[in-house]
Amino acid sequence: MTKSSSSSFALVLSFLLITMFSTAPTAGFPICSTIHGVQVGETCFSIIQKFAIEQPLFLRLNPNINCSGIFVGQWVCVNGR
Ligand SMILES: *[C@@H]1O[C@H](CO)[C@@H](O)[C@H](O)[C@H]1NC(C)=O
């Protein structure tokens, strides 16, 4: 393999990687765009409804959330991809 063909291979590879990441937002790390501080009386369910976020997305954005132990002042992610 010549020097120029291996560098164009690297170019194609990086292009493929960029395309994969930009067209598959659900794969890889979730990106949080809005956070919300939990208020008195709120539950996971009321937050999901209030911010009209899909539950699977909510859970993906908050992988460590414990919905039976949610507390006032806790920061949760309510929008992102
Ligand atoms: C979630 O919170 C509840 C109530 O505080 C607790 O009993 C339970 O063990 C917690 N679950 C996890 C997975 O941390």
Side-chain angles (χ1 to χ4, degrees), residues 23-73:
T23 57
T26 55
F29 297 104
I31 298 163
C32 186
S33 58
T34 311
I35 54 169
H36 167 70
V38 176
Q39 287 157 24
V40 179
E42 284 187 332
T43 62
C44 281
F45 186 68
S46 74
I47 293 167
I48 287 166
Q49 290 216 312
K50 182 175 178 178
F51 291 93
I53 185 173
E54 284 167 32
Q55 189 177 341
L57 176 61
F58 178 80
L59 294 175
R60 198 163 58 239
L61 292 167
N62 302 280
N64 298 317
I65 201 165
N66 178 355
C67 282
S68 27
I70 197 167
F71 56 89
V72 174

Side-chain angles (χ1 to χ4, degrees), residues 14-27 31 81:
S14 54
F15 175 75
L16 278 176
L17 284 172
I18 291 164
T19 311
M20 273 163 54
F21 279 107
S22 52
T23 57
T26 55
I31 298 163
R81 61 183 176 88

